[in-house]
Amino acid sequence: MSQRPPPHGLPRLACLPPASRLPPARLRRLPPPPSPRQPMAGPCSARLQGEAAAFTTALRTLVNNPQFSDVTFVVGREQQKVFAHRCVLACRCQAFQGMLSQEPVGSEGSPSSIPPQGPFILGNVQPEVFLAVIEFLYTNSVTLNSHIALEVLTSSVEYGLQDLCKLCVKFIKDTLSVEQVCEALQAAVTYGQADLQQHCLAFIEGHTMAVVRTQGFQELSDVVLAWVLRSDRLAMDELDLVQAVREWAHVSSAVLERPVPEVAALPVRELRLPLLSPSELVTLESQNQQDLLIPVESIAAAWRSHALRRGSGVPSRLCRPRSGTRPRDHHRHLDPHTK
C-alpha cells in the first residue's frame, strides 16, 4: 500500500521500527535522576576561653585606680575616696546600676544623659569592706580576713551579690572561733543563712562553756538565744546555763532599758528547771527574788515535778537532760520511758 503524502507544509517523518527491533547499539540508558543537592556548609563559630588568671590580674589593676575612673565614692568615717568605673559596677550589680542611673536632683536632661560621677557618700561602711566588694565586682574573687568577713557578708546581702555571699559564708565557717561564733550566728539568723546557722550551733554545742563567757554571747538577741537553748547537745549543766542567762538578761536590760523579766521572757522559757535538784531550786528561788528573772509559775512547775516524781504538766523537752547535764537522782523519774 502506498503511503499518503503529508499535508502541505509539513516534513515527512520517517517510519521508525519498534524499539524491540532496534539494534543493540542504538539502545541508550537514561541518566540517573539528580541526587538532592547537599546543603553547603555554613561558617563555623566557637567561643574560646583565654587565660582567666591573666584577665583577672589585669582587671585587679583597675580596682580603686583613679586612671580612667568615672565615678568616686567617699567611704566611712575616714571619708576615704574610692575610685571605680561605672560600666563595671552597673553590669555586675543591679544595686549599683540603679544608684548610678539616677539623674541629679533638679536635672531636666534626657534619660540618656550621663549621670554625675559623684562623689557618692557611703558613711556607714568601712573602706576595707567596701573595697572587698569592689574587688569582687572586678575580679569575681575577694580577699577576706576575720575582722571584715561578717561585714562583707552584710554588704553582699545589701547589694544582692549571692556569689559573694557564698564566699563569705564559706570563709566564716572555715575560720569560726569561740570569740566570733555568736556574732556569726546572729548574722546567719538575720540574713537567712540556714547552713551557717546550723554550723554555728554545732560549734556552740561543742564549746558551750567557753562561748557563754564571750561578749558575743551577751549581745545575742532574745530570739537567737532562745533558739540556742532549745538544743539537747549543749555541753553545759543546767544550773550554769541559768546563771549564764541571768548575766545575759542583766546586760540586755541595761542596753535596752527594759526590765529583766521582759527582756528574758523568751530564753527563760527554754531553761530546763525540772533538771535541778531540790536544793538547787531553793537557791534559785532566793536569787530570783532579787531580779524576778524566772516566772513563779515556772519554778512551781519544777517543784511539782519533784513532788509527783514525774514531769507532769511540764513540756517534755524541759525534762530532757542535755549533753552537759550533770546526773541527779531524780532524773530517772523524769524519763517518760522509765516505769
Side-chain angles (χ1 to χ4, degrees):
M1 180 180 296
S2 60
Q3 293 182 351
R4 181 177 299 177
H8 179 71
L10 294 178
R12 181 184 296 273
L13 297 177
C15 185
L16 297 177
S20 60
R21 297 182 183 179
L22 290 175
R26 298 179 63 183
L27 289 175
R28 295 182 180 180
R29 183 172 297 172
L30 295 176
S35 59
R37 180 174 296 179
Q38 298 294 328
M40 296 186 65
C44 296
S45 64
R47 179 179 290 117
L48 304 180
Q49 187 70 40
E51 182 60 41
F55 180 74
T56 299
T57 301
L59 279 179
R60 194 180 300 278
T61 64
L62 298 179
V63 175
N64 199 23
N65 190 339
Q67 188 177 22
F68 308 121
S69 169
D70 56 3
V71 63
T72 306
F73 298 88
V74 177
V75 184
R77 296 179 181 178
E78 304 89 340
Q79 297 186 345
Q80 178 177 329
K81 284 188 176 182
V82 175
F83 302 95
H85 304 80
R86 194 162 43 234
C87 60
V88 176
L89 303 186
C91 75
R92 289 277 286 153
C93 177
Q94 290 186 352
F96 277 113
Q97 185 180 67
M99 179 192 304
L100 299 173
S101 299
Q102 294 178 358
E103 294 184 8
V105 178
S107 172
E108 297 180 357
S110 64
S112 61
S113 61
I114 299 177
Q117 61 180 4
F120 292 91
I121 309 300
L122 302 176
N124 295 326
V125 60
Q126 294 183 40
E128 189 179 3
V129 172
F130 186 71
L131 283 170
V133 175
I134 295 297
E135 177 192 4
F136 173 79
L137 294 178
Y138 277 74
T139 67
N140 210 41
S141 62
V142 63
T143 304
L144 294 174
N145 60 59
S146 57
H147 299 293
I148 67 170
L150 286 172
E151 293 191 50
V152 176
L153 173 63
T154 299
S155 294
S156 71
V157 174
E158 291 176 349
Y159 289 120
L161 300 172
Q162 293 298 321
D163 288 344
L164 178 57
C165 181
K166 292 177 182 178
L167 293 177
C168 291
V169 167
K170 183 180 185 305
F171 178 86
I172 293 167
K173 289 169 64 176
D174 292 343
T175 60
L176 207 58
S177 66
V178 168
E179 290 74 21
Q180 289 191 322
V181 64
C182 288
E183 187 179 359
L185 174 60
Q186 188 68 56
V189 173
T190 301
Y191 301 123
Q193 300 297 317
D195 183 51
L196 179 58
Q197 183 176 336
Q198 292 297 330
H199 189 86
C200 291
L201 178 61
F203 188 96
I204 293 172
E205 289 169 343
H207 306 81
T208 313
M209 290 291 290
V211 169
V212 298
R213 300 190 186 102
T214 63
Q215 180 179 350
F217 180 82
Q218 303 298 335
E219 295 174 351
L220 286 176
S221 70
D222 58 340
V223 174
V224 174
L225 178 55
W227 182 76
V228 170
L229 291 173
R230 294 189 190 107
S231 170
D232 293 338
R233 298 185 177 92
L234 295 178
M236 193 170 180
D237 185 66
E238 204 65 28
L239 191 62
D240 297 323
L241 281 174
V242 172
Q243 183 59 30
V245 171
R246 171 169 274 110
E247 294 174 2
W248 169 89
H250 281 268
V251 172
S252 297
S253 174
V255 172
L256 301 175
E257 298 182 348
R258 292 162 49 194
V260 166
E262 183 178 334
V263 300
L266 285 178
V268 163
R269 293 175 190 171
E270 305 304 327
L271 292 175
R272 304 181 181 186
L273 302 183
L275 297 178
L276 302 181
S277 67
S279 61
E280 291 167 338
L281 283 176
V282 170
T283 303
L284 180 64
E285 281 187 304
S286 176
Q287 294 174 340
N288 200 59
Q289 293 176 359
Q290 301 175 14
D291 55 16
L292 302 178
L293 172 72
I294 302 172
V296 175
E297 296 80 5
S298 298
I299 299 178
W303 277 117
R304 187 163 54 251
S305 68
H306 280 280
L308 300 177
R309 301 176 77 73
R310 66 174 191 267
S312 177
V314 179
S316 60
R317 73 179 189 279
L318 300 184
C319 296
R320 287 197 304 266
R322 306 180 196 266
S323 297
T325 301
R326 293 191 298 271
R328 295 163 174 84
D329 291 338
H330 73 283
H331 287 177
R332 56 193 174 92
H333 301 299
L334 300 177
D335 187 350
H337 302 290
T338 301
K339 295 183 180 179

